[in-house]
Amino acid sequence: MAVFFSTDVICSQKQNEIGELPVSIDSPKMADVCGQVLLGSGLTVLSHPLMYIKVLIQVGHEPLPPTLGRNLFGRQVYQLPGLFAYAKHIIKIDGRAGLFKGLGPRLCAGTIGTLVHSKVVQKCQEQGTPQILGGQQKDKESSLQQVVNETTREMVARSCATIVTHPFHVITLRCMVQFIGRETKYSGVFDSIITVYREEGVLGFFAGLIPRLLGDVLSLWICNLLAHLINTYAIDDSMSHTGEIKNCSQAMTGFFASMLTYPFVLVSNIMAVNNCGLAGGRDPYASVYPTWVDCWMHLSREGNMSRGNSLFFRKLPAGKTYAVDQKRFF
C-alpha cells in the first residue's frame, strides 16, 4: 500500500504489484520510519495470500475448470474460480503455509523501500524543494504549483525505492510462479540472488522494471492532479462535510488511476518471470516475449489486458478454450 500526503491531495493506492511502494513520510524521523516499516510488514503478511493468487492468475494459471454460476444480475453464466476457491486449491496442495510463498523477499522489498523512500524525501526537503506558504495556498495557481512540486518529489522518491527493491520483487514473483511447475529453484532470498545472477546476470534482477516504473509514475500523476482538480473546481469549501467529500473524491481518483494503469502492472509481472527457466514463464505453458512491448501487444490482441484485475465474479474469456492438461486458456 502506498500513501501520498499533500496539502489538498491524499492519494491512496493498492499495490499492484508485489513489491510494496513505501509509505510517504514528510518528517522521516527514525521512530516514524520504524513505525511505518512495522505497519507495512503487518499489512504485507495479511495481504500476501491475496497477492499470491493474483500473480498466478496474471500469468495465466487456471488450475480449476470454469463452473456454472450467477453474475451480479442473477443470470447464469460460466465463471472462473474466484479468490476463495483458488485459495482452497493451494491449501489442498501445499497446506496453509503454501499461501505465503515469496513472503521473505517481499518483506525485504517493503522494508528497504520504506527506508530508501524516506531518505530521498529527506534529501529533497534539505535541498529546498519549492514550497508554497501562507495565504498563497488559497490561490488556485499556487495550489496547483504546490501539487506539482510535491508530486515531483514523491515521484523521485518512489522511483528510487522501486529501482532499489526491484530485484526482491523479481524473486518474489518467481517464488510464487514455481507453484505452477512444482519447482524449487528459488527457495530463499540469498540462494535466489545467486541463481538469478548466475543465469541472467545483473539485468535479470531488473526484468519488468520499465513498465512497472511507467505505471507507478502515471498512476501517481493521474491520481494527484485529478484529485486536485476535483477538490479545487468541483467542491466548494463552504459546503458541509467538505472533508468527507474530499476524502471520497481522493479515494475514487486513486481507484481510477490504479485501474487505468493496471496493464503496466500486468505486463511488468509477466516479464519478471518470462523465460526465466520456470514452467510458468516458457513454452508451451506461456509465450516468450523479447521485450515488454511485445508482451503488451500480445495481451492486447488476445483481450487479456485486465487479466487478474478482479478476483471475484471472473467471467469466462470470450472465444477461449480451457485446456485441462495445461490448466490454462488458449
PDB file of all heavy atoms in Angstrom, residues 145-179:
ATOM      1  N   GLN A 145       0.733  24.600  -8.359  1.00  0.00           N
ATOM      2  CA  GLN A 145       2.187  24.516  -8.351  1.00  0.00           C
ATOM      3  C   GLN A 145       2.673  23.688  -7.176  1.00  0.00           C
ATOM      4  O   GLN A 145       3.632  22.909  -7.290  1.00  0.00           O
ATOM      5  CB  GLN A 145       2.796  25.923  -8.285  1.00  0.00           C
ATOM      6  CG  GLN A 145       4.317  25.938  -8.361  1.00  0.00           C
ATOM      7  CD  GLN A 145       4.840  25.369  -9.664  1.00  0.00           C
ATOM      8  OE1 GLN A 145       4.382  25.748 -10.743  1.00  0.00           O
ATOM      9  NE2 GLN A 145       5.773  24.434  -9.577  1.00  0.00           N
ATOM     10  N   GLN A 146       2.009  23.814  -6.036  1.00  0.00           N
ATOM     11  CA  GLN A 146       2.395  23.040  -4.862  1.00  0.00           C
ATOM     12  C   GLN A 146       2.168  21.544  -5.098  1.00  0.00           C
ATOM     13  O   GLN A 146       3.004  20.713  -4.735  1.00  0.00           O
ATOM     14  CB  GLN A 146       1.595  23.492  -3.644  1.00  0.00           C
ATOM     15  CG  GLN A 146       1.993  22.751  -2.360  1.00  0.00           C
ATOM     16  CD  GLN A 146       1.087  23.101  -1.198  1.00  0.00           C
ATOM     17  OE1 GLN A 146      -0.068  23.448  -1.406  1.00  0.00           O
ATOM     18  NE2 GLN A 146       1.609  23.019   0.002  1.00  0.00           N
ATOM     19  N   VAL A 147       1.036  21.214  -5.709  1.00  0.00           N
ATOM     20  CA  VAL A 147       0.757  19.813  -6.014  1.00  0.00           C
ATOM     21  C   VAL A 147       1.806  19.253  -6.973  1.00  0.00           C
ATOM     22  O   VAL A 147       2.281  18.127  -6.802  1.00  0.00           O
ATOM     23  CB  VAL A 147      -0.664  19.658  -6.608  1.00  0.00           C
ATOM     24  CG1 VAL A 147      -0.890  18.236  -7.110  1.00  0.00           C
ATOM     25  CG2 VAL A 147      -1.711  20.002  -5.560  1.00  0.00           C
ATOM     26  N   VAL A 148       2.178  20.050  -7.979  1.00  0.00           N
ATOM     27  CA  VAL A 148       3.197  19.617  -8.935  1.00  0.00           C
ATOM     28  C   VAL A 148       4.526  19.392  -8.232  1.00  0.00           C
ATOM     29  O   VAL A 148       5.220  18.398  -8.473  1.00  0.00           O
ATOM     30  CB  VAL A 148       3.346  20.648 -10.071  1.00  0.00           C
ATOM     31  CG1 VAL A 148       4.557  20.318 -10.943  1.00  0.00           C
ATOM     32  CG2 VAL A 148       2.084  20.691 -10.927  1.00  0.00           C
ATOM     33  N   ASN A 149       4.907  20.321  -7.345  1.00  0.00           N
ATOM     34  CA  ASN A 149       6.165  20.193  -6.609  1.00  0.00           C
ATOM     35  C   ASN A 149       6.183  18.936  -5.738  1.00  0.00           C
ATOM     36  O   ASN A 149       7.143  18.170  -5.735  1.00  0.00           O
ATOM     37  CB  ASN A 149       6.389  21.427  -5.725  1.00  0.00           C
ATOM     38  CG  ASN A 149       6.702  22.668  -6.535  1.00  0.00           C
ATOM     39  OD1 ASN A 149       7.103  22.586  -7.699  1.00  0.00           O
ATOM     40  ND2 ASN A 149       6.513  23.834  -5.939  1.00  0.00           N
ATOM     41  N   GLU A 150       5.107  18.732  -4.992  1.00  0.00           N
ATOM     42  CA  GLU A 150       5.054  17.604  -4.072  1.00  0.00           C
ATOM     43  C   GLU A 150       4.960  16.274  -4.826  1.00  0.00           C
ATOM     44  O   GLU A 150       5.546  15.268  -4.415  1.00  0.00           O
ATOM     45  CB  GLU A 150       3.874  17.763  -3.120  1.00  0.00           C
ATOM     46  CG  GLU A 150       4.045  18.922  -2.151  1.00  0.00           C
ATOM     47  CD  GLU A 150       2.881  19.050  -1.183  1.00  0.00           C
ATOM     48  OE1 GLU A 150       1.884  18.304  -1.331  1.00  0.00           O
ATOM     49  OE2 GLU A 150       2.968  19.892  -0.272  1.00  0.00           O
ATOM     50  N   THR A 151       4.233  16.281  -5.944  1.00  0.00           N
ATOM     51  CA  THR A 151       4.123  15.059  -6.744  1.00  0.00           C
ATOM     52  C   THR A 151       5.459  14.725  -7.397  1.00  0.00           C
ATOM     53  O   THR A 151       5.835  13.544  -7.496  1.00  0.00           O
ATOM     54  CB  THR A 151       3.038  15.222  -7.827  1.00  0.00           C
ATOM     55  OG1 THR A 151       1.789  15.555  -7.211  1.00  0.00           O
ATOM     56  CG2 THR A 151       2.854  13.925  -8.604  1.00  0.00           C
ATOM     57  N   THR A 152       6.189  15.738  -7.826  1.00  0.00           N
ATOM     58  CA  THR A 152       7.524  15.513  -8.402  1.00  0.00           C
ATOM     59  C   THR A 152       8.461  14.901  -7.369  1.00  0.00           C
ATOM     60  O   THR A 152       9.199  13.949  -7.657  1.00  0.00           O
ATOM     61  CB  THR A 152       8.115  16.831  -8.928  1.00  0.00           C
ATOM     62  OG1 THR A 152       7.246  17.375  -9.928  1.00  0.00           O
ATOM     63  CG2 THR A 152       9.495  16.606  -9.527  1.00  0.00           C
ATOM     64  N   ARG A 153       8.433  15.457  -6.154  1.00  0.00           N
ATOM     65  CA  ARG A 153       9.266  14.925  -5.075  1.00  0.00           C
ATOM     66  C   ARG A 153       8.890  13.477  -4.758  1.00  0.00           C
ATOM     67  O   ARG A 153       9.753  12.613  -4.596  1.00  0.00           O
ATOM     68  CB  ARG A 153       9.104  15.794  -3.825  1.00  0.00           C
ATOM     69  CG  ARG A 153       9.985  15.357  -2.653  1.00  0.00           C
ATOM     70  CD  ARG A 153       9.750  16.253  -1.446  1.00  0.00           C
ATOM     71  NE  ARG A 153       8.402  16.094  -0.915  1.00  0.00           N
ATOM     72  CZ  ARG A 153       7.876  16.864   0.037  1.00  0.00           C
ATOM     73  NH1 ARG A 153       8.584  17.870   0.527  1.00  0.00           N
ATOM     74  NH2 ARG A 153       6.657  16.651   0.474  1.00  0.00           N
ATOM     75  N   GLU A 154       7.588  13.229  -4.708  1.00  0.00           N
ATOM     76  CA  GLU A 154       7.128  11.870  -4.427  1.00  0.00           C
ATOM     77  C   GLU A 154       7.494  10.910  -5.556  1.00  0.00           C
ATOM     78  O   GLU A 154       7.839   9.760  -5.323  1.00  0.00           O
ATOM     79  CB  GLU A 154       5.609  11.886  -4.220  1.00  0.00           C
ATOM     80  CG  GLU A 154       5.007  10.526  -3.903  1.00  0.00           C
ATOM     81  CD  GLU A 154       5.391   9.999  -2.539  1.00  0.00           C
ATOM     82  OE1 GLU A 154       5.982  10.759  -1.739  1.00  0.00           O
ATOM     83  OE2 GLU A 154       5.122   8.813  -2.272  1.00  0.00           O
ATOM     84  N   MET A 155       7.430  11.379  -6.788  1.00  0.00           N
ATOM     85  CA  MET A 155       7.786  10.555  -7.944  1.00  0.00           C
ATOM     86  C   MET A 155       9.250  10.129  -7.884  1.00  0.00           C
ATOM     87  O   MET A 155       9.588   8.968  -8.133  1.00  0.00           O
ATOM     88  CB  MET A 155       7.515  11.335  -9.234  1.00  0.00           C
ATOM     89  CG  MET A 155       7.909  10.586 -10.503  1.00  0.00           C
ATOM     90  SD  MET A 155       7.730  11.620 -11.990  1.00  0.00           S
ATOM     91  CE  MET A 155       9.033  12.843 -11.706  1.00  0.00           C
ATOM     92  N   VAL A 156      10.118  11.084  -7.548  1.00  0.00           N
ATOM     93  CA  VAL A 156      11.551  10.771  -7.444  1.00  0.00           C
ATOM     94  C   VAL A 156      11.793   9.756  -6.332  1.00  0.00           C
ATOM     95  O   VAL A 156      12.537   8.781  -6.506  1.00  0.00           O
ATOM     96  CB  VAL A 156      12.354  12.061  -7.181  1.00  0.00           C
ATOM     97  CG1 VAL A 156      13.817  11.730  -6.888  1.00  0.00           C
ATOM     98  CG2 VAL A 156      12.254  13.001  -8.372  1.00  0.00           C
ATOM     99  N   ALA A 157      11.146   9.959  -5.178  1.00  0.00           N
ATOM    100  CA  ALA A 157      11.338   9.053  -4.042  1.00  0.00           C
ATOM    101  C   ALA A 157      10.833   7.648  -4.360  1.00  0.00           C
ATOM    102  O   ALA A 157      11.497   6.652  -4.071  1.00  0.00           O
ATOM    103  CB  ALA A 157      10.623   9.608  -2.806  1.00  0.00           C
ATOM    104  N   ARG A 158       9.658   7.567  -4.953  1.00  0.00           N
ATOM    105  CA  ARG A 158       9.100   6.257  -5.291  1.00  0.00           C
ATOM    106  C   ARG A 158       9.933   5.534  -6.335  1.00  0.00           C
ATOM    107  O   ARG A 158      10.146   4.327  -6.251  1.00  0.00           O
ATOM    108  CB  ARG A 158       7.665   6.408  -5.804  1.00  0.00           C
ATOM    109  CG  ARG A 158       6.645   6.724  -4.742  1.00  0.00           C
ATOM    110  CD  ARG A 158       5.248   6.531  -5.301  1.00  0.00           C
ATOM    111  NE  ARG A 158       4.234   6.961  -4.363  1.00  0.00           N
ATOM    112  CZ  ARG A 158       2.941   6.777  -4.548  1.00  0.00           C
ATOM    113  NH1 ARG A 158       2.517   6.169  -5.638  1.00  0.00           N
ATOM    114  NH2 ARG A 158       2.064   7.187  -3.658  1.00  0.00           N
ATOM    115  N   SER A 159      10.385   6.297  -7.336  1.00  0.00           N
ATOM    116  CA  SER A 159      11.176   5.688  -8.405  1.00  0.00           C
ATOM    117  C   SER A 159      12.480   5.117  -7.863  1.00  0.00           C
ATOM    118  O   SER A 159      12.889   4.017  -8.236  1.00  0.00           O
ATOM    119  CB  SER A 159      11.452   6.719  -9.507  1.00  0.00           C
ATOM    120  OG  SER A 159      10.244   7.153 -10.099  1.00  0.00           O
ATOM    121  N   CYS A 160      13.131   5.869  -6.980  1.00  0.00           N
ATOM    122  CA  CYS A 160      14.377   5.376  -6.365  1.00  0.00           C
ATOM    123  C   CYS A 160      14.121   4.099  -5.570  1.00  0.00           C
ATOM    124  O   CYS A 160      14.874   3.125  -5.659  1.00  0.00           O
ATOM    125  CB  CYS A 160      14.980   6.446  -5.465  1.00  0.00           C
ATOM    126  SG  CYS A 160      15.645   7.880  -6.345  1.00  0.00           S
ATOM    127  N   ALA A 161      13.045   4.115  -4.774  1.00  0.00           N
ATOM    128  CA  ALA A 161      12.708   2.945  -3.963  1.00  0.00           C
ATOM    129  C   ALA A 161      12.364   1.749  -4.839  1.00  0.00           C
ATOM    130  O   ALA A 161      12.746   0.606  -4.550  1.00  0.00           O
ATOM    131  CB  ALA A 161      11.547   3.270  -3.028  1.00  0.00           C
ATOM    132  N   THR A 162      11.647   1.989  -5.929  1.00  0.00           N
ATOM    133  CA  THR A 162      11.257   0.903  -6.832  1.00  0.00           C
ATOM    134  C   THR A 162      12.470   0.272  -7.497  1.00  0.00           C
ATOM    135  O   THR A 162      12.574  -0.954  -7.593  1.00  0.00           O
ATOM    136  CB  THR A 162      10.286   1.433  -7.913  1.00  0.00           C
ATOM    137  OG1 THR A 162       9.093   1.900  -7.288  1.00  0.00           O
ATOM    138  CG2 THR A 162       9.933   0.337  -8.908  1.00  0.00           C
ATOM    139  N   ILE A 163      13.409   1.114  -7.958  1.00  0.00           N
ATOM    140  CA  ILE A 163      14.607   0.590  -8.623  1.00  0.00           C
ATOM    141  C   ILE A 163      15.449  -0.240  -7.648  1.00  0.00           C
ATOM    142  O   ILE A 163      15.913  -1.331  -7.986  1.00  0.00           O
ATOM    143  CB  ILE A 163      15.441   1.757  -9.200  1.00  0.00           C
ATOM    144  CG1 ILE A 163      14.672   2.424 -10.342  1.00  0.00           C
ATOM    145  CG2 ILE A 163      16.800   1.256  -9.690  1.00  0.00           C
ATOM    146  CD1 ILE A 163      15.303   3.712 -10.836  1.00  0.00           C
ATOM    147  N   VAL A 164      15.622   0.262  -6.433  1.00  0.00           N
ATOM    148  CA  VAL A 164      16.453  -0.434  -5.445  1.00  0.00           C
ATOM    149  C   VAL A 164      15.835  -1.770  -5.036  1.00  0.00           C
ATOM    150  O   VAL A 164      16.548  -2.765  -4.846  1.00  0.00           O
ATOM    151  CB  VAL A 164      16.667   0.455  -4.202  1.00  0.00           C
ATOM    152  CG1 VAL A 164      17.332  -0.344  -3.079  1.00  0.00           C
ATOM    153  CG2 VAL A 164      17.525   1.666  -4.558  1.00  0.00           C
ATOM    154  N   THR A 165      14.510  -1.822  -4.918  1.00  0.00           N
ATOM    155  CA  THR A 165      13.848  -3.030  -4.414  1.00  0.00           C
ATOM    156  C   THR A 165      13.376  -3.974  -5.515  1.00  0.00           C
ATOM    157  O   THR A 165      12.866  -5.052  -5.217  1.00  0.00           O
ATOM    158  CB  THR A 165      12.629  -2.661  -3.551  1.00  0.00           C
ATOM    159  OG1 THR A 165      11.673  -1.921  -4.344  1.00  0.00           O
ATOM    160  CG2 THR A 165      13.052  -1.810  -2.362  1.00  0.00           C
ATOM    161  N   HIS A 166      13.524  -3.592  -6.769  1.00  0.00           N
ATOM    162  CA  HIS A 166      13.002  -4.439  -7.845  1.00  0.00           C
ATOM    163  C   HIS A 166      13.604  -5.852  -7.868  1.00  0.00           C
ATOM    164  O   HIS A 166      12.878  -6.812  -8.179  1.00  0.00           O
ATOM    165  CB  HIS A 166      13.198  -3.762  -9.207  1.00  0.00           C
ATOM    166  CG  HIS A 166      12.398  -4.401 -10.296  1.00  0.00           C
ATOM    167  ND1 HIS A 166      11.033  -4.242 -10.424  1.00  0.00           N
ATOM    168  CD2 HIS A 166      12.768  -5.244 -11.306  1.00  0.00           C
ATOM    169  CE1 HIS A 166      10.603  -4.932 -11.454  1.00  0.00           C
ATOM    170  NE2 HIS A 166      11.628  -5.545 -12.010  1.00  0.00           N
ATOM    171  N   PRO A 167      14.891  -6.026  -7.573  1.00  0.00           N
ATOM    172  CA  PRO A 167      15.412  -7.402  -7.522  1.00  0.00           C
ATOM    173  C   PRO A 167      14.634  -8.299  -6.560  1.00  0.00           C
ATOM    174  O   PRO A 167      14.391  -9.477  -6.869  1.00  0.00           O
ATOM    175  CB  PRO A 167      16.858  -7.202  -7.060  1.00  0.00           C
ATOM    176  CG  PRO A 167      17.219  -5.845  -7.580  1.00  0.00           C
ATOM    177  CD  PRO A 167      15.977  -5.031  -7.428  1.00  0.00           C
ATOM    178  N   PHE A 168      14.225  -7.771  -5.420  1.00  0.00           N
ATOM    179  CA  PHE A 168      13.432  -8.562  -4.473  1.00  0.00           C
ATOM    180  C   PHE A 168      12.025  -8.824  -5.029  1.00  0.00           C
ATOM    181  O   PHE A 168      11.434  -9.867  -4.773  1.00  0.00           O
ATOM    182  CB  PHE A 168      13.338  -7.845  -3.129  1.00  0.00           C
ATOM    183  CG  PHE A 168      14.659  -7.692  -2.430  1.00  0.00           C
ATOM    184  CD1 PHE A 168      15.348  -6.491  -2.477  1.00  0.00           C
ATOM    185  CD2 PHE A 168      15.213  -8.755  -1.733  1.00  0.00           C
ATOM    186  CE1 PHE A 168      16.576  -6.351  -1.846  1.00  0.00           C
ATOM    187  CE2 PHE A 168      16.438  -8.623  -1.090  1.00  0.00           C
ATOM    188  CZ  PHE A 168      17.117  -7.422  -1.146  1.00  0.00           C
ATOM    189  N   HIS A 169      11.521  -7.868  -5.776  1.00  0.00           N
ATOM    190  CA  HIS A 169      10.222  -8.027  -6.426  1.00  0.00           C
ATOM    191  C   HIS A 169      10.268  -9.179  -7.434  1.00  0.00           C
ATOM    192  O   HIS A 169       9.355 -10.008  -7.490  1.00  0.00           O
ATOM    193  CB  HIS A 169       9.855  -6.718  -7.115  1.00  0.00           C
ATOM    194  CG  HIS A 169       8.578  -6.755  -7.882  1.00  0.00           C
ATOM    195  ND1 HIS A 169       7.347  -6.879  -7.286  1.00  0.00           N
ATOM    196  CD2 HIS A 169       8.337  -6.671  -9.221  1.00  0.00           C
ATOM    197  CE1 HIS A 169       6.403  -6.875  -8.214  1.00  0.00           C
ATOM    198  NE2 HIS A 169       6.982  -6.749  -9.386  1.00  0.00           N
ATOM    199  N   VAL A 170      11.330  -9.230  -8.225  1.00  0.00           N
ATOM    200  CA  VAL A 170      11.501 -10.305  -9.207  1.00  0.00           C
ATOM    201  C   VAL A 170      11.574 -11.657  -8.519  1.00  0.00           C
ATOM    202  O   VAL A 170      10.928 -12.634  -8.940  1.00  0.00           O
ATOM    203  CB  VAL A 170      12.762 -10.051 -10.060  1.00  0.00           C
ATOM    204  CG1 VAL A 170      13.088 -11.272 -10.927  1.00  0.00           C
ATOM    205  CG2 VAL A 170      12.583  -8.819 -10.938  1.00  0.00           C
ATOM    206  N   ILE A 171      12.349 -11.743  -7.462  1.00  0.00           N
ATOM    207  CA  ILE A 171      12.492 -13.002  -6.725  1.00  0.00           C
ATOM    208  C   ILE A 171      11.157 -13.424  -6.111  1.00  0.00           C
ATOM    209  O   ILE A 171      10.791 -14.607  -6.128  1.00  0.00           O
ATOM    210  CB  ILE A 171      13.571 -12.865  -5.635  1.00  0.00           C
ATOM    211  CG1 ILE A 171      14.947 -12.687  -6.283  1.00  0.00           C
ATOM    212  CG2 ILE A 171      13.579 -14.088  -4.712  1.00  0.00           C
ATOM    213  CD1 ILE A 171      16.046 -12.333  -5.302  1.00  0.00           C
ATOM    214  N   THR A 172      10.407 -12.466  -5.585  1.00  0.00           N
ATOM    215  CA  THR A 172       9.090 -12.763  -5.006  1.00  0.00           C
ATOM    216  C   THR A 172       8.173 -13.400  -6.043  1.00  0.00           C
ATOM    217  O   THR A 172       7.538 -14.434  -5.795  1.00  0.00           O
ATOM    218  CB  THR A 172       8.434 -11.472  -4.481  1.00  0.00           C
ATOM    219  OG1 THR A 172       9.222 -10.941  -3.426  1.00  0.00           O
ATOM    220  CG2 THR A 172       7.028 -11.751  -3.970  1.00  0.00           C
ATOM    221  N   LEU A 173       8.111 -12.795  -7.213  1.00  0.00           N
ATOM    222  CA  LEU A 173       7.236 -13.306  -8.268  1.00  0.00           C
ATOM    223  C   LEU A 173       7.649 -14.700  -8.710  1.00  0.00           C
ATOM    224  O   LEU A 173       6.803 -15.575  -8.936  1.00  0.00           O
ATOM    225  CB  LEU A 173       7.255 -12.351  -9.459  1.00  0.00           C
ATOM    226  CG  LEU A 173       6.659 -10.963  -9.224  1.00  0.00           C
ATOM    227  CD1 LEU A 173       6.884 -10.068 -10.435  1.00  0.00           C
ATOM    228  CD2 LEU A 173       5.168 -11.063  -8.933  1.00  0.00           C
ATOM    229  N   ARG A 174       8.926 -14.932  -8.815  1.00  0.00           N
ATOM    230  CA  ARG A 174       9.394 -16.243  -9.272  1.00  0.00           C
ATOM    231  C   ARG A 174       9.165 -17.321  -8.222  1.00  0.00           C
ATOM    232  O   ARG A 174       8.887 -18.472  -8.560  1.00  0.00           O
ATOM    233  CB  ARG A 174      10.870 -16.154  -9.668  1.00  0.00           C
ATOM    234  CG  ARG A 174      11.079 -15.247 -10.869  1.00  0.00           C
ATOM    235  CD  ARG A 174      12.513 -15.201 -11.359  1.00  0.00           C
ATOM    236  NE  ARG A 174      12.642 -14.299 -12.494  1.00  0.00           N
ATOM    237  CZ  ARG A 174      13.759 -14.114 -13.191  1.00  0.00           C
ATOM    238  NH1 ARG A 174      14.864 -14.772 -12.848  1.00  0.00           N
ATOM    239  NH2 ARG A 174      13.786 -13.275 -14.211  1.00  0.00           N
ATOM    240  N   CYS A 175       9.280 -16.946  -6.950  1.00  0.00           N
ATOM    241  CA  CYS A 175       8.950 -17.900  -5.886  1.00  0.00           C
ATOM    242  C   CYS A 175       7.481 -18.313  -5.981  1.00  0.00           C
ATOM    243  O   CYS A 175       7.126 -19.478  -5.732  1.00  0.00           O
ATOM    244  CB  CYS A 175       9.224 -17.285  -4.511  1.00  0.00           C
ATOM    245  SG  CYS A 175      10.972 -17.106  -4.087  1.00  0.00           S
ATOM    246  N   MET A 176       6.624 -17.373  -6.325  1.00  0.00           N
ATOM    247  CA  MET A 176       5.197 -17.656  -6.444  1.00  0.00           C
ATOM    248  C   MET A 176       4.891 -18.526  -7.657  1.00  0.00           C
ATOM    249  O   MET A 176       4.131 -19.494  -7.569  1.00  0.00           O
ATOM    250  CB  MET A 176       4.416 -16.341  -6.547  1.00  0.00           C
ATOM    251  CG  MET A 176       4.454 -15.490  -5.287  1.00  0.00           C
ATOM    252  SD  MET A 176       3.623 -13.908  -5.555  1.00  0.00           S
ATOM    253  CE  MET A 176       3.531 -13.291  -3.874  1.00  0.00           C
ATOM    254  N   VAL A 177       5.483 -18.174  -8.801  1.00  0.00           N
ATOM    255  CA  VAL A 177       5.172 -18.861 -10.056  1.00  0.00           C
ATOM    256  C   VAL A 177       5.690 -20.298 -10.049  1.00  0.00           C
ATOM    257  O   VAL A 177       5.232 -21.125 -10.845  1.00  0.00           O
ATOM    258  CB  VAL A 177       5.746 -18.048 -11.238  1.00  0.00           C
ATOM    259  CG1 VAL A 177       5.620 -18.796 -12.551  1.00  0.00           C
ATOM    260  CG2 VAL A 177       5.026 -16.703 -11.337  1.00  0.00           C
ATOM    261  N   GLN A 178       6.597 -20.616  -9.140  1.00  0.00           N
ATOM    262  CA  GLN A 178       7.075 -22.004  -9.025  1.00  0.00           C
ATOM    263  C   GLN A 178       5.940 -22.974  -8.717  1.00  0.00           C
ATOM    264  O   GLN A 178       6.060 -24.171  -8.974  1.00  0.00           O
ATOM    265  CB  GLN A 178       8.134 -22.105  -7.915  1.00  0.00           C
ATOM    266  CG  GLN A 178       9.470 -21.527  -8.287  1.00  0.00           C
ATOM    267  CD  GLN A 178      10.501 -21.730  -7.195  1.00  0.00           C
ATOM    268  OE1 GLN A 178      11.664 -22.017  -7.480  1.00  0.00           O
ATOM    269  NE2 GLN A 178      10.109 -21.584  -5.959  1.00  0.00           N
ATOM    270  N   PHE A 179       4.841 -22.474  -8.186  1.00  0.00           N
ATOM    271  CA  PHE A 179       3.702 -23.324  -7.864  1.00  0.00           C
ATOM    272  C   PHE A 179       3.175 -24.045  -9.104  1.00  0.00           C
ATOM    273  O   PHE A 179       2.700 -25.185  -9.021  1.00  0.00           O
ATOM    274  CB  PHE A 179       2.584 -22.468  -7.257  1.00  0.00           C
ATOM    275  CG  PHE A 179       1.311 -23.222  -6.979  1.00  0.00           C
ATOM    276  CD1 PHE A 179       1.177 -23.994  -5.836  1.00  0.00           C
ATOM    277  CD2 PHE A 179       0.246 -23.167  -7.871  1.00  0.00           C
ATOM    278  CE1 PHE A 179       0.010 -24.694  -5.581  1.00  0.00           C
ATOM    279  CE2 PHE A 179      -0.924 -23.851  -7.620  1.00  0.00           C
ATOM    280  CZ  PHE A 179      -1.047 -24.620  -6.480  1.00  0.00           C
TER     281      PHE A 179
END
